[in-house]
Amino acid sequence: MSTSQLRALRGATTAAANTSAAISEAVAELIDALVERNNLEGGQILSVTFSVTADLDAIFPAAIARRREGWDGVALLDCQQMAVAGDLPRCIRLLAHAWLEQQQPVRHAYLRDAARLRPDLAD
């Protein structure tokens, strides 16, 4: 008997520039890593909140995620990350809620320069 449990997944990455193309590439790579590491399908993902640093304003990350096949039922939200002196520039963070098997370990995704935010979770 399998038992699903609502779990929180974290991740972050950085965009090479404040352009639609660079942000789209970074967001797609981050979502791909999270989906692959946790063996997710669109129906398992309940919601994703993206936050970006103030230096990224060329495109909404949720607009990129919305284009993904099977994600039409995923609640998506964008917000601006709290401005803290010395924060990592051009950073995109996410918090996703997904239904996972209770015994399945959660694998977060910290990519590119964002790996230094959580070196214990980056690989």
Side-chain angles (χ1 to χ4, degrees):
M1 178 173 153
S2 67
T3 308
S4 290
Q5 184 178 49
L6 187 60
R7 310 286 289 281
L9 308 169
R10 292 277 303 149
T13 191
T14 52
N18 183 30
T19 65
S20 293
I23 295 169
S24 295
E25 177 184 321
V27 169
E29 179 184 44
L30 180 58
I31 292 171
D32 287 345
L34 204 65
V35 165
E36 181 181 309
R37 292 173 188 198
N38 293 283
N39 299 313
L40 295 173
E41 295 178 9
Q44 291 177 267
I45 304 165
L46 182 65
S47 65
V48 180
T49 300
F50 294 95
S51 67
V52 298
T53 49
D55 53 1
L56 292 178
D57 63 5
I59 191 170
F60 292 110
I64 299 155
R66 189 174 299 113
R67 298 178 197 144
R68 293 182 69 90
E69 186 175 336
W71 281 51
D72 51 330
V74 178
L76 301 168
L77 177 68
D78 291 303
C79 60
Q80 192 173 72
Q81 182 70 27
M82 188 175 115
V84 174
D87 193 14
L88 186 61
R90 296 182 314 279
C91 188
I92 303 160
R93 293 171 171 92
L94 68 72
L95 171 63
H97 293 96
W99 295 104
L100 297 176
E101 293 301 315
Q102 195 169 17
Q103 73 280 3
Q104 180 180 342
V106 172
R107 299 214 41 233
H108 306 284
Y110 286 80
L111 310 176
R112 300 183 184 193
D113 290 341
R116 68 182 187 199
L117 296 173
R118 291 295 307 265
D120 57 320
L121 298 176
D123 55 28

